[in-house]
Amino acid sequence: MSVNPTTGLPADPEHDPRASYAFEPEYVAALTDQIIATSGTGVTAYAPATGKPLAVIPQSTVEDVAEAYARARRAQQAWARTSIDDRAALLMRLHDIVLDRQDEIMDLICWESGKARKHAFDEPLHIALTARYYARTAHKHLDTERRLGVIPALTRVEVNRVPKGVVGIISPWNYPFTMALCDGLPALLAGNAVVTKPDAQTMLTALLGAQLLEEAGFPRGLWNVVAGPGRELGGPMIERSDYICFTGSTATGKIIAQQCADRLIGCSLELGGKNPILVLRDADIDKAVEGAIRACFSNAGQLCVSTERMFVADQVYDRFKEKFVAATRAMRLSAGLEWGSDMGSLISQDQLDTVTAHVDDAVAKGARVLAGGKPRPDLGPFFYEPTILEGVSPDMVCFGNETFGPVISLYRFHDEADAIARANDGEYGLNAAIYSRDVRRARVIARQVKCGTVNINEAFGATFASIDAPMGGMRESGMGRRQGGEGIHRYTETQAVASQALLRFSPQYGLDDQQYAKLMTTSLRLLNKIGRA
Ligand code: NAD
């Protein structure tokens, strides 16, 4: 295990359980001091790759949540009066800071989540892309728009985009930097303030994000962080929010949706998936293998858009399988901050237990292990090998349930229509990929796949990194979309403002009601004739 070059090593955790194995106390304090927390209690966070303590995270009370919202409301009022250009300039500054500080960001992500450095790099990259996209398209999404008025030239209609107010963001641990920030950037740009509750396991990374926002110049009070269990703080957040953005499991998403419904506030829910890849008979096999490795094993499969099911055409099945198994077996597993690892650790004992249970259940019921299939305690407490299963059947837990780990089930198909039907089987509908040399045909198939994003000749990056493209799930994978116009408009109310000149909406110039109705009928017919909408 190497040493963090930015922050230096370590107090010995054997002697002081409150000390960080990885960071100087001042470094940790500068991050955790941002949490609005007066409970006087703290929860120790551990490094998954080593099992050693990283930091004590102060915990927020319900009163702290109320304080966070009070600060957010005050800050939002002044913020909503700033210009779109001023807000966008801060996002561009954040873009530069994130690229400049990427090593520190990746170090922290690796320590806190246990993932390989190359998977950590996706996070500053995604935030830089998101910041730049929204900064550059701010006017397109937020400017007041002209719409058609009912009476040409006399009714002038404009639509304003009004900020919702205070947005509550509840985020998971799997991509702790990008999940903590990416949904908040458009919320800020649209004139909102944010109260965020990142997952308890990855608070430091989320707090570094908050620190970088402040360095970029976002005013204090605009971005407020609370810490604690979601089931305790979630309700108090929803009670005070004007909108909720939630990323996490489908089970929690349903609870959040019910609570938001009680208050009639909107929410976007980015939830789980059991994502399929289709490898068609004319696929470039090497490309499909490369994509499958990334799709299945990025962040040890703890990625919402990860693939857990692959349907491969009969004609190429054996060739694909041989190459995919060889590439999986050749993967380098290690913990640490260095480049060169192909896969890191799972984040927790809970995750290890779920992955182990899914694989053991499948094997006990007759599935074959083509690669992996075992925990690797020699590498770290929560390591599990990248695993390929064959012969998975509907009675096995991993057939339809999200594993959220490095486990892929391989299926052969003879008929494309049958493969599409099997890909659409189940309740989820987040992400899919199709490998084929015939891109036009793949696009036709994509329309039949019930997923919010479909990538062709790429696993997930083509849609996820194209920030102009809406991202989110169909069916039990979610509601609403992040990214693109959809990802910023969810944080605004549309307000129609119409001014009326000359004619009024009642009889005038001596007409009675009947004559007025006749005149209006003739006008409607005329407008239709000249092609008016
Ligand atoms: P989770 O639902 O248990 O937790 C996510 C967040 O919700 C955490 O911050 C947690 O503290 C909070 N939370 C938990 N219970 C809550 C409650 N009752 N009220 C309010 N907040 C509550 O999810 P997880 O298991 O930690 O995360 C993994 C899941 O997230 C997977 O299913 C994965 O597919 C999904 N995910 C989806 C996306 C996406 O964009 N669609 C992205 C990342 C992760």
Side-chain angles (χ1 to χ4, degrees):
M1 171 70 60
S2 64
V3 169
N4 180 319
T6 319
T7 50
L9 261 180
D12 180 358
E14 305 305 328
H15 294 116
D16 178 4
R18 292 180 63 88
S20 172
Y21 179 74
F23 306 113
E24 298 288 359
E26 297 76 28
Y27 184 78
V28 172
L31 293 174
T32 55
D33 282 354
Q34 298 174 101
I35 304 172
I36 302 175
T38 59
S39 69
T41 61
V43 168
T44 302
Y46 294 88
T50 62
K52 294 186 174 176
L54 271 183
V56 175
I57 308 294
Q59 298 294 286
S60 308
T61 61
V62 172
E63 291 72 34
D64 294 326
V65 173
E67 172 60 19
Y69 278 82
R71 289 185 199 181
R73 294 240 168 257
R74 281 195 297 275
Q76 194 267 333
Q77 285 178 5
W79 180 243
R81 289 193 293 272
T82 59
S83 74
I84 291 174
D85 287 331
D86 286 350
R87 294 180 217 152
L90 300 187
L91 280 187
M92 281 315 297
R93 216 178 288 161
L94 180 74
H95 167 273
D96 294 345
I97 292 173
V98 165
L99 292 182
D100 291 348
R101 301 267 291 270
Q102 58 175 287
D103 279 327
E104 179 188 357
I105 296 166
M106 287 189 285
D107 281 358
L108 201 47
I109 293 171
C110 289
W111 275 112
E112 247 193 342
S113 71
K115 72 176 66 169
R117 195 169 193 81
K118 70 175 176 188
H119 301 145
F121 176 67
D122 291 345
E123 303 206 44
L125 183 68
H126 185 244
I127 289 303
L129 284 170
T130 304
R132 174 161 56 80
Y133 167 77
Y134 279 116
R136 292 267 158 81
T137 56
H139 283 287
K140 174 179 152 199
H141 298 311
L142 296 175
D143 278 354
T144 293
E145 264 177 75
R146 277 289 291 276
R147 297 280 178 98
L148 291 177
V150 60
I151 304 175
L154 301 185
T155 316
R156 181 192 167 104
V157 178
E158 288 181 351
V159 174
N160 297 324
R161 293 276 172 187
V162 180
K164 292 259 183 192
V166 179
V167 172
I169 296 180
I170 300 174
S171 59
W173 44 263
N174 62 332
Y175 277 70
F177 188 69
T178 191
M179 288 297 133
L181 285 186
C182 73
D183 290 303
L185 302 185
L188 294 176
L189 183 69
N192 299 281
V194 168
V195 175
T196 173
K197 194 211 77 58
D199 191 275
Q201 296 168 95
T202 49
M203 284 299 296
L204 294 179
T205 309
L207 290 164
L208 179 58
Q211 204 179 62
L212 299 185
L213 283 170
E214 205 172 315
E215 271 183 50
F218 287 94
R220 242 168 209 272
L222 214 53
W223 189 269
N224 305 276
V225 185
V226 292
R231 63 186 176 282
E232 285 171 28
L233 302 189
M237 285 180 72
I238 292 167
E239 270 167 39
R240 294 168 175 82
S241 290
D242 300 308
Y243 188 86
I244 287 284
C245 168
F246 171 77
T247 306
S249 63
T250 296
T252 309
K254 288 181 179 177
I255 297 172
I256 304 253
Q258 279 171 1
Q259 291 175 332
C260 289
D262 280 345
R263 287 206 53 232
L264 277 183
I265 59 166
C267 60
S268 53
L269 307 169
E270 306 290 345
L271 309 176
K274 190 76 187 172
N275 307 308
I277 289 187
L278 302 175
V279 181
L280 307 188
R281 62 178 181 275
D282 65 346
D284 176 333
I285 296 302
D286 291 330
K287 208 181 237 185
V289 167
E290 183 279 333
I293 292 283
R294 261 183 313 114
C296 304
F297 306 128
S298 283
N299 192 25
Q302 303 164 115
L303 168 63
C304 55
V305 289
S306 270
T307 293
E308 298 195 356
R309 302 179 297 150
M310 285 197 78
F311 301 93
V312 185
D314 216 7
Q315 297 86 339
V316 290
Y317 186 89
D318 293 329
R319 209 150 45 91
F320 174 82
K321 177 171 124 179
E322 188 190 329
K323 289 192 169 193
F324 183 38
V325 168
T328 301
R329 288 194 182 140
M331 285 175 67
R332 297 157 298 180
L333 272 52
S334 75
L337 304 178
E338 314 84 5
W339 296 98
S341 167
D342 293 322
M343 198 181 96
S345 171
L346 293 166
I347 194 163
S348 63
Q349 185 66 48
D350 276 359
Q351 281 294 106
L352 180 65
D353 290 347
T354 306
V355 172
T356 308
H358 280 207
V359 174
D360 290 354
D361 168 79
V363 171
K365 290 172 180 162
R368 293 175 297 284
V369 176
L370 303 181
K374 292 190 306 296
R376 289 293 298 272
D378 53 315
L379 298 173
F382 311 133
F383 270 82
Y384 199 94
E385 291 175 337
T387 298
I388 306 174
L389 299 176
E390 196 180 43
V392 170
S393 53
D395 58 322
M396 300 173 190
V397 179
C398 72
F399 180 82
N401 295 293
E402 186 186 38
T403 304
F404 215 51
V407 182
I408 172 81
S409 306
L410 217 52
Y411 304 97
R412 187 190 286 268
F413 75 81
H414 310 281
D415 173 61
E416 253 166 43
D418 172 55
I420 297 165
R422 287 158 75 190
N424 284 337
D425 199 19
E427 302 304 321
Y428 290 117
L430 189 58
N431 180 56
I434 302 170
Y435 280 86
S436 167
R437 286 195 167 88
D438 186 344
V439 174
R440 192 182 301 179
R441 196 162 61 90
R443 284 190 183 274
V444 172
I445 291 174
R447 292 181 71 92
Q448 300 167 52
V449 175
K450 294 180 190 159
C451 286
T453 50
V454 183
N455 294 269
I456 296 171
N457 295 327
E458 163 52 36
F460 57 85
T463 52
F464 203 84
S466 301
I467 311 295
D468 199 26
M471 188 266 153
M474 295 184 185
R475 303 189 282 177
E476 295 223 342
S477 287
M479 237 169 67
R481 297 288 182 267
R482 62 164 54 107
Q483 305 195 160
E486 294 83 346
I488 188 164
H489 288 156
R490 64 187 155 155
Y491 300 127
T492 64
E493 297 284 4
T494 50
Q495 179 195 49
V497 178
S499 55
Q500 183 61 31
L502 295 176
L503 289 181
R504 57 185 196 222
F505 290 84
S506 60
Q508 60 191 116
Y509 308 121
L511 298 179
D512 63 21
D513 283 344
Q514 194 178 5
Q515 289 164 326
Y516 171 74
K518 239 184 172 158
L519 177 67
M520 292 307 286
T521 306
T522 309
S523 308
L524 288 184
R525 291 209 167 103
L526 198 63
L527 286 172
N528 190 34
K529 272 219 168 84
I530 64 171
R532 169 90 181 184

